[in-house]
Amino acid sequence: MFRWYQNAAKCYVFLSDVSTTKQKADSECSELTWESDFRRSRWFTRGWTLQELLAPRAVEFYSREGKLLGEKRSLEQQLHQITGIAVPALQGAPLHEFGIEERLLWIKDRQTKRKEDKAYSLLGIFGIYMLANYGEGEENAFNRLQEEIHKQLNRSIHHQALVQREKEDLECIKSLRITDPNDDKRRIEDTKGGLLADSYRWILDNNDFRQWQHNEQSRLLWIKGDPGKGKTMLLCGIINELQKTKANSDPLSYFFCQAADSRINSAVAVLRGLMYMLVDQQPSLISHIRKKYDHAGKVLFEDTNAWVALCEIFTNILRDPSLKKTYLVIDALDECVTDLPKLLAFVAQHCSMSSCIKWIVTSRNWPDIEERLDQTGHKVKLRLELNAESVSAAVRIFIEWKVSKLAREKKYDKQTRDIVLEHLTSNANDTFLWVALVCQHLEKVPRRNVRAKLALFPPGLDLLYERMMQQIYNSDDADLYKHILASVAIVYRPVTLKELTSLVDMLEDMADDLETLREIISLCGSFLTIRQDTVYWVHQSAKDFLFTKASDKIFPSGTEKTHYIIFLRSLQVLSKTLRRDIYSLRAYGYPAEKVKQPDPDPLAASRYSCVFWVDHLCDWNPNFSTDHSADLLCGSDIDSFLRKRYLYWLEALSLCKSMSKGVVSMEKLKALIQRIAFKHELVELVRDAHRFIMAHKWVIENNPLQAYMSALIFSPTQSPIRQIFEKEVPDWIIAKPYTGDKWSACLQTLEGHSSSVNSVAFSHDSTRLASVSNDRTVKIWDPSSGDCLQTLEGHS
């Protein structure tokens, strides 16, 4: 009945004991107020009418003469006074928002003909179902009602706990994710012109592959070969085939290493990527991650020394009894720049752990990888050079596909098509990358010039790269292309087109002309490619060539000079773009977690510079043996930046979610400046800036605009940063707390224990700090950034 009233468009209440007229002695009728009758109406004393009042969206009250007295919404104050029911409940607020005792009070002064109905009339109001049992008595009916209410409450609490758990799981997965390997695979396939099934199918019938696939003792398949032989695309094809043939419950997790992208070129990144895909396919596995994540937070994944914790988590995942046959795939081990030996040791160790775990890895023919993987048992080695016939046939198929595509798009006649096909077939040397690069050039060559241009594409990758470089040297925009290549070669992660315009001064005017910029990138000798407005190397071998064979042309003054140029450009763009409240948050307490990136993003061009300008300064010349040292001290771009933009930079770091990186950057800057100017005032300014970010990292990280509020007023009165930016404190702050003249001896406060700390110890190299607390935990800290890296539990 409650639901029936709830679903009604409108309900009508006929109050037979409420009249709008009164009969006088002289028999004259006159209009009188009805409100006193309304208040005394027995309708408000009956039990079942409670749900008739609360359940419907709209209720109209009529007198016995049929006159409309009013609607529920217009009479809510009178109804509240009569019944004691809260106005929000009368307005339709969800009844579960009101306490159990409060809702029980609503029936207290009401009566029902059957005693049990006093309890039964509350069923809809509490949203529960209970069978009526007339004859049990009012007390028993209410007892049963209370039991059902508490059961429902427990279910609700359990449901809320599940919802909260799911929310925390999603946050954990979000923190674990660096990039999505699914997206990386699509990007790689698109960059290389698509995945041709006929070019990889040969491996499905290969004896080595079939042995790995069907023999339980063969747990590791290592595919090795020289650059450009198609290892990555071969792996993409294998992944596609495994996804078709594996059982639905068999997880398949893969990771593509890329040396030029600092996000995905480390052993830690590989484990994070593999775990991310496993948890995405089998959510129950996240429990192994949550055990540590709940205490350490996202720094568990972000710390560069998180290897030990991640190895433990990953090992526990692989031992999970619910995990059946599992495929783990890692492409380009040779592009794992950081901690490759650790990754190789991890793979070797876990290959013997379970026959259910099947590994595939690819790499170049590097002796150190060969040495370590040769020690692994249960492996199958697939050398592309020993499968030359199969690779050659695959390359021929690839050539025919690319030439057919060219012939359609460029409208080649049969003779031209055959000449291109013959040249590619004769010179490819079984190298997919060579074919792809030549075809990429031919796409820009007019049909009439194709035959003449073919001779300009020599066989072999190095010769082709040399030809591409010669093309750059001979172009009218050679300096521009070389500046672009030099900048992209030394950045710490792939940069967006907008970021590139801020790093290369010759592109500064193109920030709003991305189409022209894309055209320029495409003319950089085909060394670079663009995916979703981010610039990547077309292949790692292209970057390797620039550093080994063309370094004197791209870096005529050495890579240090390019670092210095990017450092200066970074400070320039930051000084130009950073400002107070750049995202227009307005509220000082606006939480960082709720910040939405505006469109257009005012930090789009300067985001890279914001995070990495100090790194480029340090990599310019760590010993400061050049003449630029004097410029650094006297002209002091750094001094000017800190005095004019330091707080704006801290706000931007918070918006970029890089405060920890900022702390480390200021530590590096302080150490660097102190080495060259012990008495210079810049040293004192940098020291103070370092103390400032260490003291206020947490509050600015969580509330970006607190850089101008609590960070300033809780800094020492003699702090140079406070004195410089005192004007940023809002005028309505009149009485400021006493904070002392100078910074205290306390460099940093590490927060996280819930009880007293009774022991601390530094690691032998002073890069980690352990603390023991009466809360029965041991926490591992990074003293440089103040982050809690790990929480150890188990003591009783």
Side-chain angles (χ1 to χ4, degrees):
M1 283 191 69
F2 185 90
R3 283 195 295 272
W4 187 76
Y5 286 120
Q6 209 171 31
N7 294 331
K10 185 179 291 187
C11 289
Y12 303 88
V13 177
F14 174 67
L15 301 176
S16 60
D17 56 353
V18 177
S19 175
T20 54
T21 61
K22 182 180 178 181
Q23 188 72 28
K24 288 187 177 182
D26 56 6
S27 299
E28 293 180 359
C29 287
S30 61
E31 294 289 334
L32 293 177
T33 60
W34 46 266
E35 291 179 350
S36 58
D37 285 349
F38 185 73
R39 291 176 183 275
R40 293 192 300 269
S41 175
R42 64 179 177 273
W43 193 83
F44 295 113
T45 66
R46 293 169 57 196
W48 285 106
T49 58
L50 179 61
Q51 64 179 5
E52 297 168 17
L53 173 64
L54 293 175
R57 287 169 292 175
V59 180
E60 291 182 357
F61 293 89
Y62 288 84
S63 69
R64 70 182 178 208
E65 293 84 9
K67 184 173 182 180
L68 176 65
L69 303 176
E71 297 183 6
K72 182 167 69 169
R73 63 169 178 253
S74 64
L75 298 172
E76 59 189 25
Q77 287 301 325
Q78 292 98 312
L79 294 172
H80 165 65
Q81 293 170 4
I82 296 169
T83 63
I85 298 173
V87 171
L90 295 169
Q91 292 174 336
L95 297 182
H96 64 77
E97 294 180 359
F98 302 89
I100 295 173
E101 296 301 324
E102 181 177 0
R103 281 180 279 175
L104 287 172
L105 284 175
W106 295 345
I107 199 72
K108 181 182 177 183
D109 297 325
R110 293 173 178 260
Q111 302 299 321
T112 54
K113 289 183 179 179
R114 297 184 179 185
K115 296 295 184 181
E116 296 88 350
D117 277 341
K118 195 168 184 179
Y120 301 160
S121 64
L122 291 171
L123 296 181
I125 289 168
F126 281 100
I128 61 177
Y129 176 77
M130 186 177 83
L131 286 173
N133 182 18
Y134 290 106
E136 66 177 328
E138 182 178 342
E139 183 178 352
N140 288 336
F142 268 100
N143 287 339
R144 284 204 301 131
L145 175 65
Q146 293 271 18
E147 288 179 10
E148 293 299 326
I149 290 173
H150 287 296
K151 286 180 184 178
Q152 181 199 57
L153 184 61
N154 290 334
R155 287 193 296 267
S156 176
I157 292 172
H158 179 66
H159 174 71
Q160 291 173 10
L162 289 177
V163 171
Q164 180 63 25
R165 181 76 181 185
E166 183 177 345
K167 181 179 178 182
E168 292 170 356
D169 284 350
L170 291 174
E171 191 63 33
C172 177
I173 294 173
K174 182 179 176 182
S175 299
L176 177 66
R177 180 185 184 275
I178 304 175
T179 62
D180 188 337
N182 291 290
D183 295 337
D184 292 337
K185 179 174 178 287
R186 281 191 291 269
R187 170 177 56 79
I188 289 167
E189 292 176 1
D190 291 347
T191 300
K192 295 179 184 291
L195 179 61
L196 179 62
D198 289 338
S199 65
Y200 69 76
R201 289 195 190 281
W202 66 269
I203 199 171
L204 304 179
D205 296 321
N206 179 272
N207 289 333
D208 293 328
F209 179 79
R210 292 173 69 85
Q211 179 185 343
W212 167 84
Q213 191 173 25
H214 300 298
N215 188 338
E216 286 190 1
Q217 296 306 311
S218 300
R219 300 169 192 172
L220 171 66
L221 174 64
W222 174 27
I223 302 173
K224 52 179 288 194
D226 293 331
K229 293 297 183 181
K231 297 185 295 297
T232 297
M233 296 304 279
L234 185 62
L235 205 61
C236 288
I238 291 174
I239 290 170
N240 289 351
E241 293 300 322
L242 289 176
Q243 287 174 331
K244 293 178 187 176
T245 58
K246 71 180 183 66
N248 290 333
S249 59
D250 295 344
L252 168 62
S253 181
Y254 50 84
F255 190 87
F256 293 87
C257 292
Q258 191 168 343
D261 190 340
S262 60
R263 299 172 302 169
I264 52 176
N265 68 359
S266 68
V268 166
V270 173
L271 291 196
R272 288 176 64 176
L274 292 176
M275 284 195 289
Y276 172 78
M277 288 200 72
L278 285 176
V279 169
D280 185 55
Q281 295 170 75
Q282 195 161 324
S284 63
L285 297 174
I286 200 172
S287 60
H288 300 289
I289 304 175
R290 287 287 304 274
K291 288 176 183 177
K292 290 187 178 294
Y293 177 82
D294 288 350
H295 299 284
K298 62 183 180 181
V299 293
L300 171 67
F301 309 126
E302 294 175 351
D303 178 56
T304 54
N305 293 290
W307 177 254
V308 175
L310 291 175
C311 283
E312 181 184 341
I313 294 170
F314 203 2
T315 301
N316 290 335
I317 287 176
L318 296 182
R319 288 174 175 165
D320 191 296
S322 68
L323 207 61
K324 305 304 180 185
K325 180 170 283 190
T326 302
Y327 298 97
L328 301 175
V329 182
I330 307 173
D331 180 54
L333 286 172
D334 49 280
E335 296 194 39
C336 178
V337 176
T338 305
D339 293 331
L340 174 59
K342 292 181 179 178
L343 179 59
L344 293 172
F346 182 86
V347 173
Q349 175 189 350
H350 287 75
C351 279
S352 59
M353 193 173 78
S354 170
S355 60
C356 292
I357 311 298
K358 292 277 193 175
W359 294 79
I360 306 179
V361 298
T362 71
S363 76
R364 300 189 196 182
N365 292 306
W366 281 12
D368 53 344
I369 296 179
E370 178 106 28
E371 179 182 345
R372 291 178 182 274
L373 289 185
D374 272 348
Q375 300 171 9
T376 305
H378 311 286
K379 74 174 182 301
V380 177
K381 191 185 301 184
L382 195 158
R383 299 178 177 89
L384 294 182
E385 286 76 16
L386 297 183
N387 291 271
E389 187 176 337
S390 297
V391 174
S392 180
V395 172
R396 285 197 300 272
I397 293 171
F398 184 65
I399 291 172
E400 291 173 359
W401 179 56
K402 296 294 285 187
V403 172
S404 296
K405 187 169 180 284
L406 271 174
R408 286 195 307 272
E409 293 174 354
K410 307 296 288 187
K411 295 182 172 56
Y412 291 166
D413 55 34
K414 183 178 185 303
Q415 188 177 15
T416 302
R417 180 188 181 282
D418 291 344
I419 290 173
V420 173
L421 183 63
E422 171 61 26
H423 183 84
L424 295 182
T425 304
S426 303
N427 294 277
N429 290 337
D430 299 339
T431 305
F432 286 91
L433 180 59
W434 186 90
V435 176
L437 291 176
V438 172
C439 290
Q440 188 174 332
H441 278 277
L442 291 176
E443 288 174 358
K444 305 167 190 172
V445 176
R447 181 176 53 188
R448 64 182 183 278
N449 297 333
V450 169
R451 299 184 191 184
K453 290 289 185 180
L454 280 176
L456 299 178
F457 302 122
L461 281 178
D462 279 357
L463 290 176
L464 181 59
Y465 286 145
E466 287 176 9
R467 171 69 190 120
M468 289 159 57
M469 285 304 303
Q470 193 61 46
Q471 180 182 343
I472 288 176
Y473 302 151
N474 296 335
S475 69
D476 294 335
D477 295 311
D479 287 342
L480 173 59
Y481 298 151
K482 286 190 283 188
H483 275 95
I484 292 174
L485 289 174
S487 298
V488 175
I490 66 168
V491 292
Y492 304 105
R493 64 158 171 80
V495 292
T496 65
L497 292 173
K498 281 188 173 291
E499 288 171 337
L500 187 62
T501 63
S502 69
L503 301 179
V504 180
D505 56 355
M506 300 172 73
L507 298 176
E508 187 174 7
D509 296 334
M510 297 186 187
D512 297 322
D513 188 5
L514 297 187
E515 194 56 44
T516 300
L517 185 54
R518 292 187 189 96
E519 182 180 339
I520 291 172
I521 298 297
S522 70
L523 294 173
C524 284
S526 297
F527 284 102
L528 305 176
T529 186
I530 300 171
R531 169 74 173 166
Q532 294 181 342
D533 284 343
T534 299
V535 183
Y536 298 91
W537 290 99
V538 70
H539 192 266
Q540 180 62 26
S541 61
K543 181 179 180 181
D544 293 343
F545 174 84
L546 288 184
F547 276 103
T548 57
K549 306 290 177 62
S551 181
D552 57 331
K553 300 292 194 301
I554 300 298
F555 306 107
S557 302
T559 56
E560 292 84 359
K561 177 68 173 180
T562 305
H563 278 294
Y564 181 66
I565 292 171
I566 290 184
F567 154 67
L568 288 181
R569 286 286 303 165
S570 293
L571 281 196
Q572 290 169 10
V573 71
L574 291 175
S575 298
K576 184 188 299 184
T577 60
L578 295 185
R579 63 179 187 273
R580 177 174 172 145
D581 196 9
I582 195 167
Y583 277 8
S584 301
L585 304 179
R586 295 184 177 85
Y588 286 102
Y590 200 97
E593 61 185 19
K594 293 186 177 180
V595 172
K596 304 294 184 185
Q597 193 176 101
D599 186 19
D601 181 9
L603 289 174
S606 57
R607 194 173 287 268
Y608 177 87
S609 297
C610 188
V611 177
F612 294 106
W613 69 271
V614 173
D615 297 277
H616 285 289
L617 172 64
C618 294
D619 284 340
W620 154 46
N621 193 330
N623 298 317
F624 283 89
S625 57
T626 69
D627 295 335
H628 295 296
S629 300
D631 297 335
L632 183 67
L633 297 175
C634 302
S636 227
D637 293 289
I638 295 176
D639 184 90
S640 176
F641 176 73
L642 293 179
R643 292 181 183 277
K644 295 179 180 178
R645 294 289 186 271
Y646 183 63
L647 290 193
Y648 306 160
W649 178 55
L650 296 187
E651 178 196 336
L653 280 174
S654 177
L655 296 172
C656 293
K657 304 189 185 307
S658 299
M659 281 298 292
S660 294
K661 181 67 171 65
V663 173
V664 175
S665 293
M666 288 308 300
E667 174 68 35
K668 293 170 68 174
L669 181 63
K670 183 186 73 168
L672 190 149
I673 296 297
Q674 286 179 161
R675 290 207 302 268
I676 59 173
F678 292 102
K679 297 182 180 180
H680 197 277
E681 62 179 8
L682 178 59
V683 175
E684 182 58 33
L685 179 61
V686 172
R687 283 176 179 167
D688 188 68
H690 178 241
R691 291 297 302 271
F692 190 91
I693 191 173
M694 287 184 70
H696 306 300
K697 169 192 175 256
W698 188 90
V699 68
I700 300 174
E701 185 174 43
N702 289 280
N703 308 89
L705 298 188
Q706 284 297 323
Y708 313 104
M709 176 70 84
S710 58
L712 283 177
I713 64 176
F714 286 104
S715 295
T717 56
Q718 297 303 312
S719 159
I721 294 296
R722 173 168 174 168
Q723 292 178 344
I724 292 169
F725 292 97
E726 190 83 44
K727 62 182 182 298
E728 298 286 355
V729 179
D731 295 337
W732 50 268
I733 299 291
I734 300 172
K736 298 173 184 174
Y738 174 73
T739 54
D741 295 337
K742 298 181 179 180
W743 293 103
S744 70
C746 177
L747 295 177
Q748 196 173 19
T749 300
L750 308 179
E751 297 189 47
H753 284 297
S754 59
S755 185
S756 58
V757 174
N758 48 47
S759 182
V760 294
F762 274 97
S763 61
H764 67 283
D765 57 1
S766 297
T767 62
R768 293 292 176 268
L769 177 69
S771 59
V772 176
S773 168
N774 286 336
D775 64 9
R776 301 175 181 177
T777 66
V778 177
K779 289 186 179 290
I780 311 298
W781 308 86
D782 179 354
S784 61
S785 67
D787 287 332
C788 177
L789 306 178
Q790 196 173 356
T791 299
L792 311 179
E793 292 186 288
H795 288 295
S796 59

